[in-house]
């Protein structure tokens, strides 16, 4: 059921923003299908240029996820988030960029080169 719900949230743009914290919890689910669906929904939120509230919520949820959730998600999923966060570095909304920087600081070790490049692009952001 959780997998199906995550798949629905993947396509809902801003309407999915409030569910980002619950999606991060699914990253530790024993069911790999649920993990992948949650990761896909979070990535879709991060990549959706038309839904800054969803981008901000997804980045914040990843930043605030407890260490055991990030550990359970594994490097495979975390590295995919670094790539999606890199895309959100250029969002027009400063709050989105702030959450992206925070999330990169927390999960960037999964893909250090990509995280460093993304974080470097934020250095000029005043």
């Amino acid at each position: 059921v959780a997998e199906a719900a995550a798949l629905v949230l993947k396509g809902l743009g801003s309407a999915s923003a409030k569910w980002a914290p619950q999606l991060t919890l699914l990253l530790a689910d024993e069911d790999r299908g649920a993990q992948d669906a949650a990761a896909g929904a979070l990535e879709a939120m991060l990549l959706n240029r038309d839904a800054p509230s969803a981008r901000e919520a997804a980045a914040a949820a990843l930043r605030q996820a407890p260490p055991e959730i990030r550990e359970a998600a594994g490097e495979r999923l975390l590295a995919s988030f670094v790539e999606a966060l890199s895309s959100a570095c250029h969002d027009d909304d400063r709050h989105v960029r702030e959450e992206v920087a925070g999330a990169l600081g927390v999960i960037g070790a999964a893909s250090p080169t990509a995280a460093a490049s993304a974080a470097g692009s934020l250095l000029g952001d005043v």
Side-chain angles (χ1 to χ4, degrees):
V1 173
E3 179 179 352
L7 290 171
V8 169
L9 290 170
K10 181 177 180 176
L12 295 181
S14 294
S16 62
K18 74 177 191 174
W19 301 106
Q22 287 81 0
L23 287 167
T24 59
L25 295 178
L26 281 178
L27 297 175
D29 198 278
E30 293 178 5
D31 178 2
R32 182 142 179 188
Q35 285 182 354
D36 289 345
L42 287 164
E43 284 180 53
M45 291 167 70
L46 289 167
L47 294 170
N48 189 339
R49 295 188 184 279
D50 296 327
S53 63
R55 288 181 115 176
E56 182 178 355
L62 290 170
R63 178 181 58 78
Q64 297 168 359
E68 59 272 12
I69 298 294
R70 294 191 305 271
E71 186 176 309
E75 287 194 28
R76 173 184 68 90
L77 292 179
L78 295 181
S80 70
F81 293 134
V82 171
E83 295 299 322
L85 286 163
S86 297
S87 149
C89 282
H90 308 290
D91 196 278
D92 292 336
D93 187 318
R94 179 181 182 83
H95 299 292
V96 171
R97 296 190 310 274
E98 288 171 350
E99 290 296 348
V100 165
L104 285 169
V106 172
I107 68 169
S111 185
T113 302
S117 176
S121 74
L122 292 167
L123 287 175
D125 198 347
V126 182

